[in-house]
Amino acid sequence: MNWQYIIVILIGIACIASVVHRLWRLFYPKDDANTCGGCKACGGKK
Amino acid sequence: MNLSELKIGEKAVIVHVNGTGQFRKRILEMGFVHGKEVTVIQGAPMADPIHYRILGYDVSLRRADAELIEVRPLSAIDIVPTDTIQEPKLDELPCPSQESLRPIDNKEQIKHPSKRLRVALVGNPNCGKTSLFNQASGANEHVGNYSGVTVERKVGYINFGDYRIELIDLPGAYSLSPYSPEEVYIRNYLTGAERPDIVLNVLDTTNLERNLYLTIQVKELGVPVVAALNMFDEFSERKEYLNYPRLSRLLGIPMIPTICRTGLGLHALFSELIEVWEGIQNEDEALLHPETGKIRPLSVYYGHSIEESIATLVEKIQLHLAITSTIEARHIAVKLMERDNDIAHQLMDRYSKGAFIISARDYELKRLAEELNGADTEELMTDARYGYIAGALRETYKRRNTREDSLTDKIDHWVTHRYLGFPIFLFLMYLMFEATFTLGAYPMDWIDAAVKWLGSWVSTQMSDGPLKDLIVDGIIAGVGGVVVFLPNILILYFFISMFEDTGYMARAAFIMDKLMHRMGLHGKSFIPLIMGFGCNVPAVMATRTIESRKSRIITMLVLPFMSCSARLPVYLLLAGALFADKAGLVLFALYIIGVGIAIISARVLRATHFKGEDIPFVMELPPYRMPTSRAILRHMWTRAEQYLHKMGTVILLASIIIWGLGYFPRQEEAQVAMEQQIEVVQKNTTLTAEAKQDSIASLKYQYNQYHQENSWIGRMGKSVEPIIAPLGFDWKMGISLLSGLAAKEVVVSTLGVIYTGDGDDSDTAVQKLSTRIAAEKRADGSPSFTPLVGFGFMLFVLIYFPCVATIIAIARESGSWRWGIFSIIYSCSLAWLIALLVYQIGSRL
């Protein structure tokens, strides 16, 4: 297999991993910033 | 008579504020208390709302709300000479020295200080807290600007002396009453477990009387306070005088003059903060209460009858709720007497005897109503606080009515003019979009040429293969096609910053309130809507300043129709390709259509699901200020950074994926057939060189069409084509719209990958894309992108699915995914319907 194909496949795998990671973060966001001060503007969800 | 009956220019004295609930409380806290003088400045277009001046600041009220305020015209009052009141001697008043106004010199500070101090910035909106925050921390340490423009706290750090100071920039608030979410947030923050060591209260010195209302409330909490007398330069220019050391002694709050815009005075301010903190640590008797050992709170005297009720409640609170601290017990009692429902609910939730305390409060309120002949306790308590402030200022402050003919008044006369207000607003909006298009075209060409050069260079450096195709046709064509629009976006942000920083944004909200109100929105909704032109996500966050939950959710749901800067590249590309001469006008029309759809949608939502709950429009109109180049550049740089970051993440990812879907599966047989045909053409001796080139180009084009239609993306596009065919869109447009779900710029990068990925590099990326879009033909030979289809496509991009980030913001801010899903379904259906109507009606004309 052409070396360029191998790199393209690796980039493809990295892209898929990135999409999965982004979707994961979409539904399970990080709150390590500890921004919630309890103002209830979020409807008490945080 | 009532306030709405006064004529423009007329002055009156407040007698009583009618009405109930939160509106009344807010009006009282904004200074509409018994005995204060109010002037009518101007009416908005459509004669509503009205611009008033009270306590030396400007505020707008709707006519219906002004009807609730009883006044007595000044002309009807016999003014008693006030020569018995001792005026401050002007020549004895202090003036801050140059030394006391010096900024912080970062070179003087040590790098790893050992001590820690947490300082919260508290103050009225627009008093300069964020300027102070940026000046103090921006040049030194990383500023954690967590999502939200005005609502969530921001944290920054500064090394000063032996201390590493954590600065917490809290949202602006007029009082600590639970009127809007951010006021509840501030109060909970100042009294909660994470409470700061010291509160740094930033005061707008030009508007001292109202600003001190919040100061008094913070001081009543018993937390240590240091005040920054900000905008001292503007104050001095007005030739007003303040004996601030004396005011400081009277209120028990150290006060330091500052000019936060330039950082002057911050050295003295932080020195004072540390001095106060060390005083507390060393149990300085001057600062601490001798019995409790805690900071001496400020005790406003609310009058004999109310004080009696407070004392009764304090006793009961200490006895039944086991709250030993008199300060805390008095604070709770005062809040209960003010009918603070938030505190009442907290007591009911936390303590078994909470209900008993509430019933005791109700009894006291009833008793007071009888004793005071029906006078309202809340009003009396607000009066008492303002009386306390007025007393302190009478001894220390000399006001001059220099604002009568100020520049602000002159500008306001025109920009909020009854007939010229709207045309000026529309002209400024048009100017913004025209400049975005025309001025942005020059730097855009430079970046475009650089992208072209990069593509050509990579092509010559790499051998043929899929990686080269990925880099040239996927990444450079996709990302490069979007990055060229960076200058246009910066120009748009420049204008938005100018509107925000000069104070024009508040005027836009003022003149639009009547229209917004009729359409079911609040005047304050207009500011997030304008912010939505930049980015919908912070605009959704900014809806938190709207007090009514219903208005807030309506604003969030219609916000995606405000065309954000991510959609701008799509318009610039298509308007430039299809409406060359009138591109600026088309751009302006799209934004106006977006606003129109937002307003109509708001009206529909208000009439159906969100009936009732109308919140009054009380909005401060700040004086015009010259924006600093630093603030504007900072704003533009932040946006540029975000845009470039998006290029390196979402757009890059999408471009690679779109390229991959369009590149595979490889059509080996068709490629071999094409190459054989090209060989036949080249060997044909009867053809001229020109004819050969044409034939070869035609064969390549046919192969590309065949390949794209049979690629994965082509198959996906073909499957969605029946849905979008009635709109005049072909499968390529369908694919670009699908890819735009991640971020709207991806629509352009997808068009770039689909239309230009054929190795032809005779033009720069955007020129080539524009040419291809204009020349693209359907199978029957008719053009794909007619101006009508192009306009419908731009409308579809304007209206359909807001990006993923906006949907998440809507879901989080509304507290329910329901509204996020509703936004997706509503916007996509509406986009389809409008694009259908445009195409079907337009093609029959």
Side-chain angles (χ1 to χ4, degrees), chain B residues 415-491:
Chain B
V415 300
T416 61
H417 190 271
R418 195 169 176 180
Y419 301 112
L420 295 174
F422 282 129
I424 290 173
F425 171 70
L426 289 174
F427 172 74
L428 289 173
M429 289 288 119
Y430 176 70
L431 187 72
M432 174 165 88
F433 298 122
E434 188 61 36
T436 301
F437 193 82
T438 50
L439 288 182
Y442 301 102
M444 190 175 127
D445 286 345
W446 306 332
I447 301 176
D448 202 11
V451 170
K452 183 203 164 191
W453 173 85
L454 183 68
S456 310
W457 184 78
V458 173
S459 286
T460 55
Q461 296 299 310
M462 287 182 74
S463 56
D464 285 346
L467 185 61
K468 178 183 164 183
D469 292 341
L470 167 64
I471 294 172
V472 177
D473 301 333
I475 296 173
I476 297 178
V479 178
V482 183
V483 83
V484 293
F485 296 105
L486 178 64
N488 307 79
I489 284 165
L490 290 183
I491 293 171

Side-chain angles (χ1 to χ4, degrees), chain A residues 3-5 7-8 11 15 18-19 22 26 29 33-35 37-39 41-43 45-46, chain B residues 146 153 185 188 463 465-468 470 544 649-650 653 656-657 664 666 804 808 812-813 815:
Chain A
W3 66 272
Q4 290 203 4
Y5 262 107
I7 295 176
V8 169
I11 291 173
C15 285
S18 176
V19 171
R22 279 166 187 279
L26 188 72
N34 192 24
T35 54
C39 72
C42 61
K45 295 280 170 185
K46 276 172 93 175
Chain B
Y146 306 118
R153 72 183 190 216
Y185 175 85
N188 290 345
S463 56
L467 185 61
K468 178 183 164 183
L470 167 64
R544 289 190 198 174
T649 53
V650 178
L653 194 63
I656 294 173
I657 292 170
F664 297 105
R666 303 300 293 156
V804 177
I808 296 169
R812 285 201 189 149
E813 291 297 311

Side-chain angles (χ1 to χ4, degrees), chain B residues 163-459:
Chain B
Y163 284 83
R164 180 165 171 79
I165 300 173
E166 182 184 345
L167 271 182
I168 302 128
D169 185 16
L170 294 172
Y174 291 110
S175 76
L176 293 183
S177 306
Y179 187 68
S180 64
E182 67 262 41
E183 285 168 349
V184 178
Y185 175 85
I186 293 169
R187 192 169 72 185
N188 290 345
Y189 187 75
L190 294 184
T191 54
E194 286 184 81
R195 69 171 71 183
D197 298 322
I198 299 190
V199 169
L200 174 49
N201 182 205
V202 184
L203 299 167
D204 174 358
T205 319
T206 62
N207 187 1
L208 206 51
E209 197 165 357
R210 199 207 57 216
N211 273 245
L212 282 172
Y213 189 85
L214 177 68
T215 312
I216 298 288
Q217 285 194 315
V218 174
K219 192 71 183 153
E220 277 182 304
L221 289 175
V223 291
V225 182
V226 171
L229 291 169
N230 195 27
M231 303 183 198
F232 209 81
D233 51 341
E234 274 184 46
F235 176 78
S236 304
E237 279 168 21
R238 288 186 183 189
K239 306 250 184 311
E240 296 186 334
Y241 298 94
L242 177 71
N243 188 341
Y244 64 88
R246 184 162 162 72
L247 181 65
S248 171
R249 281 196 298 278
L250 285 170
L251 298 178
I253 300 169
M255 291 182 163
I256 307 293
T258 59
I259 305 160
C260 292
R261 211 156 44 96
T262 53
L264 297 178
L266 294 191
H267 189 276
L269 182 69
F270 281 91
S271 303
E272 187 64 38
L273 274 169
I274 288 172
E275 201 175 307
V276 169
W277 176 242
E278 288 184 343
I280 295 167
Q281 301 300 97
N282 299 330
E283 299 182 357
D284 186 342
E285 285 178 11
L287 290 165
L288 302 180
H289 195 281
E291 289 171 20
T292 60
K294 290 186 175 177
I295 279 287
R296 283 173 190 271
L298 186 90
S299 274
V300 176
Y301 182 71
Y302 292 106
H304 177 71
S305 305
I306 296 176
E307 284 294 338
E308 213 172 274
S309 296
I310 291 173
T312 310
L313 283 180
V314 166
E315 200 179 304
K316 287 191 162 68
I317 288 166
Q318 287 186 311
L319 186 67
H320 297 287
L321 305 187
I323 293 173
T324 50
S325 157
T326 317
I327 301 166
E328 204 178 329
R330 181 177 165 88
H331 171 67
I332 293 169
V334 167
K335 288 286 142 200
L336 286 176
M337 291 304 289
E338 286 186 288
R339 295 193 178 87
D340 187 321
N341 289 333
D342 195 55
I343 292 276
H345 287 140
Q346 281 184 32
L347 287 189
M348 302 271 261
D349 292 345
R350 284 187 199 168
Y351 301 98
S352 57
K353 291 280 181 68
F356 169 72
I357 299 293
I358 304 300
S359 63
R361 184 273 310 261
D362 293 342
Y363 173 79
E364 288 299 326
L365 286 175
K366 201 175 160 191
R367 185 184 68 76
L368 279 174
E370 283 169 14
E371 196 176 316
L372 302 171
N373 297 324
D376 181 63
T377 325
E378 267 178 274
E379 190 172 352
L380 291 174
M381 292 175 83
T382 312
D383 277 357
R385 287 198 189 106
Y386 268 111
Y388 188 93
I389 295 164
L393 290 180
R394 187 172 295 174
E395 292 182 37
T396 55
Y397 174 50
K398 185 166 170 60
R399 177 187 288 161
R400 289 194 180 181
N401 286 330
T402 50
R403 285 197 60 191
E404 293 297 333
D405 291 301
S406 68
L407 184 64
T408 292
D409 294 332
K410 285 175 191 159
I411 299 172
D412 268 348
H413 176 74
W414 295 108
V415 300
T416 61
H417 190 271
R418 195 169 176 180
Y419 301 112
L420 295 174
F422 282 129
I424 290 173
F425 171 70
L426 289 174
F427 172 74
L428 289 173
M429 289 288 119
Y430 176 70
L431 187 72
M432 174 165 88
F433 298 122
E434 188 61 36
T436 301
F437 193 82
T438 50
L439 288 182
Y442 301 102
M444 190 175 127
D445 286 345
W446 306 332
I447 301 176
D448 202 11
V451 170
K452 183 203 164 191
W453 173 85
L454 183 68
S456 310
W457 184 78
V458 173
S459 286

